[in-house]
Amino acid sequence: MMNSVEIRRLIEEITSAELFEGDYGDCVFNVDAILSGVEETDRKSVPADYLEFLADFGFGELDAAFYVDEGPEKYSTICGREVEGYEGIYIIGGNSSDVLYAFDAKNNWQVVEVSSELDGFEVLASNFSDFILEKLKCIKSMVERRAAR
């Protein structure tokens, strides 16, 4: 996985912060369990860096601003119905408000943001490694601001 040393450092800094209240770090090694919410036709295409992340760094709540699910789940499963235009969307995390982070399997598994405030979804990164690195940097910055108060 790209940037694994920096990712590990950021996660350790976030989880060791004095005000850390998350529940993060359970690792998942069973790929079949991780991919249980993914359609059979899409399973071979799930990004390897995402699977490595779950095995090496885990899942859970890093902050109220970000949690990582233990595996992708179809958007339609979460909504309870099919939504036109969201057929290839697999939710991989979110925050404590209404923002979800997902893979768009129909567009090279890029990472997108799904929000009730958006009409559709917004592309955040072309790959999981870039997405998670930027998200961790943002969380670390928020943790530091809270500690400074």
Side-chain angles (χ1 to χ4, degrees):
M1 175 172 201
M2 293 183 342
N3 303 309
S4 62
V5 171
E6 186 172 5
I7 288 170
R8 182 168 311 283
R9 181 186 58 79
L10 288 165
I11 289 173
E12 287 174 0
E13 289 176 6
I14 293 165
T15 58
S16 65
E18 183 178 336
L19 300 175
F20 177 72
E21 296 180 354
D23 180 18
Y24 183 82
D26 291 331
C27 295
V28 186
F29 305 100
N30 184 332
V31 174
D32 290 333
I34 293 170
L35 300 180
S36 65
V38 178
E39 290 182 9
E40 192 69 37
T41 56
D42 289 331
R43 288 186 180 187
K44 290 184 171 142
S45 303
V46 173
D49 59 346
Y50 171 71
L51 298 173
E52 290 173 31
F53 180 86
L54 291 177
D56 294 344
F57 302 107
F59 67 93
E61 183 182 31
L62 270 165
D63 189 85
F66 186 63
Y67 65 86
V68 178
D69 291 327
E70 61 191 280
E73 191 71 42
K74 288 279 292 184
Y75 184 73
S76 60
T77 301
I78 292 171
C79 289
R81 63 183 175 81
E82 287 293 331
V83 178
E84 187 176 338
Y86 288 72
E87 294 84 2
I89 301 299
Y90 289 97
I91 304 303
I92 58 171
N95 67 23
S96 60
S97 61
D98 68 344
V99 173
L100 298 172
Y101 302 108
F103 285 126
D104 182 356
K106 303 290 186 212
N107 289 294
N108 297 319
W109 294 84
Q110 59 192 2
V111 180
V112 298
E113 178 181 309
V114 181
S115 171
S116 62
E117 295 178 10
L118 297 173
D119 184 24
F121 41 86
E122 178 183 346
V123 176
L124 299 177
S126 62
N127 62 68
F128 181 77
S129 292
D130 290 347
F131 164 75
I132 197 68
L133 182 61
E134 288 308 309
K135 187 53 67 179
L136 292 171
K137 287 177 182 178
C138 179
I139 294 166
K140 182 179 178 288
S141 175
M142 287 189 298
V143 168
E144 288 172 342
R145 282 195 303 266
R146 279 195 300 259
R149 291 183 189 166

